[in-house]
Amino acid sequence: MTRVSVNPGRVEWSGENSGILLENSLDADYATLALFFRIVLSPHGRGDAALVLGAPDADVGWPYAPNFLMTNNQRMMRWIVDGWVRKFSAFRNRPGIESMKWLDLHSICCQPAHLRSRHREKAFGSDIELEMVWSDLGEPVPVEADRSHSPTGEHDMYSVFVEAASASVIVNGTPLPGQVGCRRIFDRTMSTAFLALSNTWVTPSGTGD
């Protein structure tokens, strides 16, 4: 296959889209699903967000279950949730994503990754203090996936992934359940906790509006 220097498709959004997907040790299904977004380019501007499903199969939102999304750009995130997150295999058809509470994000604090140590994101808003921690980081891995291999099945995706051997999602001081596992992603076995940096999604030429 001939590679071209410039993708003729349309850039939809770009930024960071890191995840911590924690498995239930009993059945290997997911016990906790969490994504952190730092968007630098989209049709709806810039913004940050944290999406947490601490009870992904519960049809109830915060404060009755740790299912919520905090953001400082709700219009942008509703567009991304509908166009992307709902199509990710781990999130598809989960009752928690339908019932999660949409909340305002007031501030974020980042502790950047250093070599093989850890990366931490803290988000504050609506009486919630959220901490997402990625530990025991691996080497950066460049990924380019066409739509047949991308998580949505509709877009080309480019990113730099940094896998974490361990990770945690902590809401108001309480760690959410589950443990890091491994899944087959992009034709290789990868950790279910990862930093996705320079994450860019493109609608292939001839398939968009």
Side-chain angles (χ1 to χ4, degrees):
M1 179 178 177
T2 302
R3 297 178 62 176
V4 296
S5 299
V6 177
N7 187 319
R10 181 181 69 240
V11 175
E12 300 290 358
W13 59 273
S14 184
E16 299 177 27
N17 177 19
S18 300
I20 298 177
L21 315 181
L22 302 179
E23 295 181 346
N24 185 325
S25 59
L26 296 178
D27 58 12
D29 194 6
Y30 289 116
T32 295
L33 300 170
L35 298 174
F36 181 85
F37 295 86
R38 181 175 285 112
I39 307 302
V40 298
L41 184 152
S42 86
H44 305 294
R46 295 177 173 234
D48 309 292
L51 188 160
V52 175
L53 300 182
D57 294 318
D59 188 16
V60 62
W62 182 264
Y64 307 103
N67 294 334
F68 59 86
L69 186 150
M70 292 193 295
T71 183
N72 52 22
N73 187 336
Q74 292 224 5
R75 184 183 181 195
M76 177 193 74
M77 281 311 302
R78 290 185 185 276
W79 177 71
I80 289 177
V81 167
D82 288 342
W84 281 265
V85 179
R86 293 181 188 276
K87 298 171 184 176
F88 296 164
S89 60
F91 291 81
R92 194 176 299 134
N93 299 322
R94 296 281 186 178
I97 203 169
E98 304 300 332
S99 301
M100 66 183 179
K101 183 75 170 180
W102 286 74
L103 304 169
D104 290 330
L105 173 65
H106 298 154
S107 65
I108 56 172
C109 176
C110 172
Q111 181 189 65
H114 294 287
L115 298 178
R116 294 184 182 273
S117 57
R118 70 176 194 165
H119 181 93
R120 181 175 66 179
E121 299 281 358
K122 296 187 74 172
F124 306 88
S126 305
D127 297 322
I128 293 177
E129 179 178 320
L130 169 68
E131 184 175 6
M132 298 176 64
V133 182
W134 296 259
S135 303
D136 303 318
L137 301 173
E139 296 294 332
V141 176
V143 173
E144 56 177 311
D146 63 19
R147 62 178 174 174
S148 65
H149 294 91
S150 82
T152 64
E154 299 176 8
H155 306 90
D156 296 340
M157 190 210 72
Y158 305 89
S159 192
V160 175
F161 277 75
V162 181
E163 298 175 69
S166 60
S168 58
V169 181
I170 303 167
V171 178
N172 290 344
T174 300
L176 297 185
Q179 59 193 14
V180 174
C182 292
R183 298 284 173 122
R184 194 73 180 171
I185 309 171
F186 306 124
D187 292 329
R188 60 175 283 167
T189 300
M190 298 182 68
S191 171
T192 59
F194 52 86
L195 305 176
L197 312 174
S198 304
N199 192 228
T200 300
W201 297 83
V202 177
T203 297
S205 178
T207 63
D209 293 334

